[in-house]
Amino acid sequence: MATTNHLEQTLEVQNPVEDPHLRRGPRGFPLLPGGYGRSTYYTGAPSPYAIKGEGYRVWDDRGRELIDANNNFTSLIHGNAHPDITEAATKALSSGASWGIPNLYEWELAELLLGRLPELDQVRFANSGTEAVMSAIRIARASTGREKVIVTKGGYHGTSEVALVPGGPSYQRGVTRGVIDDVTAVPLNDVEFLRQAVESAPDAYAAIILDLLPNRAGLLTINQEFVRTARELATRYGLVLIIDEVISLRLGYNGFSGEYGVTPDLLTTGKLIGGGFPVGAVCGKAGLMAEVDPSRPGSLPHGGTFSGNPVSMAAGAVALRLYTQDEVKRLNQLGDTARETVNSRVADAGWEIRGRGSLLRAVPAGAEKVDEHTQHSLWWASYERGLLGSPANLLSLSTPMDEKVVADIADRLADAVLAVASQAPATEGAK
């Protein structure tokens, strides 16, 4: 009789597995540092492990069925194991996971993506949003001959050294002083600070990088005046305006920058455009993208063993096709309703729900930064109520969700916030 592996047995009988965090290697150390494969998984205590996902639901090794509003940190716009995406990825994989020459799947995804960004001309794919931002910065520096960049405080642009600087001292550990000195962090929506920074040394700056809805800053939206000023200054002084839409692309059919009516010189994205597989992309105007044209003398080398791999490209193309204008509008409306509903229940407790469209986050009212203990307490309070968010409590909606599901999310989130606000007894993860 065929044997079943440990994962299959766990899924079948829904019994908790031995805590994987405790598994140790031959020298006695945990197999993974701290027991985690990503620092961003950490919630203050050993977390559950996913066993299976389907649509808007996920099941874990503790026997819980959860509403998945984490969606792998917003990337699963169509939820878990969407059949059309699964079919496309499986078909591509059956012909070969990746090759050392180009594949035709890249062209389809590039065409679909640029169709939503009509004022941009070309795409270069990478393996992650982090890589996309790194490439965009390098293109900006090469094209301008300058080194410094301007970012917004609280903006998140991945884990490259430049991107870590605006996170503050804890993120800057291990980053060289030279890199730190090359980055100017501007307070969110401080137009005058931005203007003074650029005009004090216009020949020093290669780029302005904007995260239009920075989660690290509590999911506060950058205002129209700030974005338009950044565009004006970049044009006047020859800087490259980079808008990072790795997360926010979902908020508009033409990206969130399309909602502002502002065209960046380079736009970085990822997450949803990979259909659940690793992906990143730099989209830009032809003159800038020529910097990575290998047929051009002196061009910038750009590689990545799995960049543009057929599985990510095929899955991503289906994901974009499925995310129609109507679906963008529907999800955004559901998110707006959820924020309004939860706010009406938690405002008196001193909390608020921030965000735009299909992204929302609960934070103490007026907070510029939420301490880690509060974030973890809310994560576990949500988990105990069957709601899975990110460790920073960012929730993202997915297309399998309807009004009933989102109303359920709002109810569970409000209950969790009120429990934390009233300093309810410690939940499982906070013990």
PDB file of all heavy atoms in Angstrom, residues 157-172:
ATOM      1  N   HIS A 157      10.178  49.597   0.276  1.00  0.00           N
ATOM      2  CA  HIS A 157      10.604  49.297  -1.093  1.00  0.00           C
ATOM      3  C   HIS A 157      11.430  48.016  -1.147  1.00  0.00           C
ATOM      4  O   HIS A 157      12.343  47.896  -1.967  1.00  0.00           O
ATOM      5  CB  HIS A 157      11.395  50.471  -1.661  1.00  0.00           C
ATOM      6  CG  HIS A 157      10.647  51.773  -1.614  1.00  0.00           C
ATOM      7  ND1 HIS A 157       9.604  52.053  -2.458  1.00  0.00           N
ATOM      8  CD2 HIS A 157      10.775  52.854  -0.792  1.00  0.00           C
ATOM      9  CE1 HIS A 157       9.128  53.259  -2.179  1.00  0.00           C
ATOM     10  NE2 HIS A 157       9.815  53.766  -1.169  1.00  0.00           N
ATOM     11  N   GLY A 158      11.157  47.085  -0.246  1.00  0.00           N
ATOM     12  CA  GLY A 158      11.881  45.829  -0.253  1.00  0.00           C
ATOM     13  C   GLY A 158      13.034  45.826   0.735  1.00  0.00           C
ATOM     14  O   GLY A 158      13.069  46.607   1.692  1.00  0.00           O
ATOM     15  N   THR A 159      14.001  44.972   0.489  1.00  0.00           N
ATOM     16  CA  THR A 159      15.071  44.751   1.467  1.00  0.00           C
ATOM     17  C   THR A 159      16.468  45.008   0.926  1.00  0.00           C
ATOM     18  O   THR A 159      17.449  44.537   1.491  1.00  0.00           O
ATOM     19  CB  THR A 159      14.984  43.312   2.017  1.00  0.00           C
ATOM     20  OG1 THR A 159      15.024  42.386   0.920  1.00  0.00           O
ATOM     21  CG2 THR A 159      13.714  43.100   2.808  1.00  0.00           C
ATOM     22  N   SER A 160      16.585  45.749  -0.172  1.00  0.00           N
ATOM     23  CA  SER A 160      17.918  46.165  -0.607  1.00  0.00           C
ATOM     24  C   SER A 160      18.420  47.222   0.361  1.00  0.00           C
ATOM     25  O   SER A 160      17.659  47.786   1.149  1.00  0.00           O
ATOM     26  CB  SER A 160      17.876  46.733  -2.026  1.00  0.00           C
ATOM     27  OG  SER A 160      17.159  47.958  -2.050  1.00  0.00           O
ATOM     28  N   GLU A 161      19.708  47.534   0.323  1.00  0.00           N
ATOM     29  CA  GLU A 161      20.277  48.453   1.302  1.00  0.00           C
ATOM     30  C   GLU A 161      19.652  49.846   1.206  1.00  0.00           C
ATOM     31  O   GLU A 161      19.328  50.459   2.231  1.00  0.00           O
ATOM     32  CB  GLU A 161      21.801  48.520   1.131  1.00  0.00           C
ATOM     33  CG  GLU A 161      22.501  47.247   1.557  1.00  0.00           C
ATOM     34  CD  GLU A 161      23.991  47.429   1.734  1.00  0.00           C
ATOM     35  OE1 GLU A 161      24.541  48.428   1.237  1.00  0.00           O
ATOM     36  OE2 GLU A 161      24.617  46.567   2.381  1.00  0.00           O
ATOM     37  N   VAL A 162      19.478  50.359   0.003  1.00  0.00           N
ATOM     38  CA  VAL A 162      18.856  51.674  -0.142  1.00  0.00           C
ATOM     39  C   VAL A 162      17.443  51.659   0.428  1.00  0.00           C
ATOM     40  O   VAL A 162      17.013  52.583   1.127  1.00  0.00           O
ATOM     41  CB  VAL A 162      18.828  52.102  -1.618  1.00  0.00           C
ATOM     42  CG1 VAL A 162      17.931  53.325  -1.820  1.00  0.00           C
ATOM     43  CG2 VAL A 162      20.236  52.407  -2.115  1.00  0.00           C
ATOM     44  N   ALA A 163      16.703  50.589   0.141  1.00  0.00           N
ATOM     45  CA  ALA A 163      15.311  50.508   0.577  1.00  0.00           C
ATOM     46  C   ALA A 163      15.176  50.389   2.091  1.00  0.00           C
ATOM     47  O   ALA A 163      14.141  50.760   2.656  1.00  0.00           O
ATOM     48  CB  ALA A 163      14.633  49.322  -0.096  1.00  0.00           C
ATOM     49  N   LEU A 164      16.193  49.879   2.758  1.00  0.00           N
ATOM     50  CA  LEU A 164      16.124  49.719   4.208  1.00  0.00           C
ATOM     51  C   LEU A 164      16.291  51.037   4.957  1.00  0.00           C
ATOM     52  O   LEU A 164      15.810  51.181   6.085  1.00  0.00           O
ATOM     53  CB  LEU A 164      17.195  48.733   4.678  1.00  0.00           C
ATOM     54  CG  LEU A 164      16.992  47.273   4.277  1.00  0.00           C
ATOM     55  CD1 LEU A 164      18.234  46.462   4.608  1.00  0.00           C
ATOM     56  CD2 LEU A 164      15.771  46.682   4.978  1.00  0.00           C
ATOM     57  N   VAL A 165      16.961  52.003   4.354  1.00  0.00           N
ATOM     58  CA  VAL A 165      17.314  53.241   5.057  1.00  0.00           C
ATOM     59  C   VAL A 165      16.107  53.975   5.645  1.00  0.00           C
ATOM     60  O   VAL A 165      16.139  54.379   6.810  1.00  0.00           O
ATOM     61  CB  VAL A 165      18.131  54.170   4.136  1.00  0.00           C
ATOM     62  CG1 VAL A 165      18.356  55.517   4.806  1.00  0.00           C
ATOM     63  CG2 VAL A 165      19.473  53.518   3.792  1.00  0.00           C
ATOM     64  N   PRO A 166      15.002  54.170   4.894  1.00  0.00           N
ATOM     65  CA  PRO A 166      13.890  54.945   5.473  1.00  0.00           C
ATOM     66  C   PRO A 166      13.188  54.251   6.627  1.00  0.00           C
ATOM     67  O   PRO A 166      12.377  54.880   7.312  1.00  0.00           O
ATOM     68  CB  PRO A 166      12.931  55.146   4.289  1.00  0.00           C
ATOM     69  CG  PRO A 166      13.266  54.053   3.338  1.00  0.00           C
ATOM     70  CD  PRO A 166      14.732  53.841   3.483  1.00  0.00           C
ATOM     71  N   GLY A 167      13.496  52.979   6.880  1.00  0.00           N
ATOM     72  CA  GLY A 167      12.883  52.267   7.998  1.00  0.00           C
ATOM     73  C   GLY A 167      13.423  52.689   9.353  1.00  0.00           C
ATOM     74  O   GLY A 167      12.847  52.334  10.384  1.00  0.00           O
ATOM     75  N   GLY A 168      14.538  53.437   9.383  1.00  0.00           N
ATOM     76  CA  GLY A 168      15.088  53.899  10.650  1.00  0.00           C
ATOM     77  C   GLY A 168      16.218  53.017  11.144  1.00  0.00           C
ATOM     78  O   GLY A 168      16.656  52.078  10.463  1.00  0.00           O
ATOM     79  N   PRO A 169      16.709  53.299  12.349  1.00  0.00           N
ATOM     80  CA  PRO A 169      17.916  52.641  12.883  1.00  0.00           C
ATOM     81  C   PRO A 169      17.865  51.121  12.892  1.00  0.00           C
ATOM     82  O   PRO A 169      18.855  50.467  12.556  1.00  0.00           O
ATOM     83  CB  PRO A 169      18.022  53.205  14.306  1.00  0.00           C
ATOM     84  CG  PRO A 169      17.355  54.534  14.227  1.00  0.00           C
ATOM     85  CD  PRO A 169      16.230  54.366  13.248  1.00  0.00           C
ATOM     86  N   SER A 170      16.737  50.531  13.263  1.00  0.00           N
ATOM     87  CA  SER A 170      16.693  49.070  13.347  1.00  0.00           C
ATOM     88  C   SER A 170      16.854  48.425  11.981  1.00  0.00           C
ATOM     89  O   SER A 170      17.415  47.332  11.856  1.00  0.00           O
ATOM     90  CB  SER A 170      15.380  48.610  13.992  1.00  0.00           C
ATOM     91  OG  SER A 170      14.271  48.995  13.198  1.00  0.00           O
ATOM     92  N   TYR A 171      16.383  49.096  10.928  1.00  0.00           N
ATOM     93  CA  TYR A 171      16.518  48.567   9.572  1.00  0.00           C
ATOM     94  C   TYR A 171      17.897  48.866   8.994  1.00  0.00           C
ATOM     95  O   TYR A 171      18.351  48.190   8.070  1.00  0.00           O
ATOM     96  CB  TYR A 171      15.444  49.169   8.660  1.00  0.00           C
ATOM     97  CG  TYR A 171      14.059  48.632   8.913  1.00  0.00           C
ATOM     98  CD1 TYR A 171      13.235  49.210   9.866  1.00  0.00           C
ATOM     99  CD2 TYR A 171      13.567  47.544   8.202  1.00  0.00           C
ATOM    100  CE1 TYR A 171      11.957  48.728  10.111  1.00  0.00           C
ATOM    101  CE2 TYR A 171      12.294  47.051   8.429  1.00  0.00           C
ATOM    102  CZ  TYR A 171      11.491  47.653   9.388  1.00  0.00           C
ATOM    103  OH  TYR A 171      10.234  47.164   9.628  1.00  0.00           O
ATOM    104  N   GLN A 172      18.559  49.895   9.510  1.00  0.00           N
ATOM    105  CA  GLN A 172      19.833  50.327   8.944  1.00  0.00           C
ATOM    106  C   GLN A 172      21.024  49.541   9.458  1.00  0.00           C
ATOM    107  O   GLN A 172      22.135  49.705   8.938  1.00  0.00           O
ATOM    108  CB  GLN A 172      20.038  51.814   9.253  1.00  0.00           C
ATOM    109  CG  GLN A 172      19.064  52.724   8.526  1.00  0.00           C
ATOM    110  CD  GLN A 172      19.166  54.171   8.980  1.00  0.00           C
ATOM    111  OE1 GLN A 172      20.050  54.532   9.759  1.00  0.00           O
ATOM    112  NE2 GLN A 172      18.248  55.007   8.515  1.00  0.00           N
TER     113      GLN A 172
END
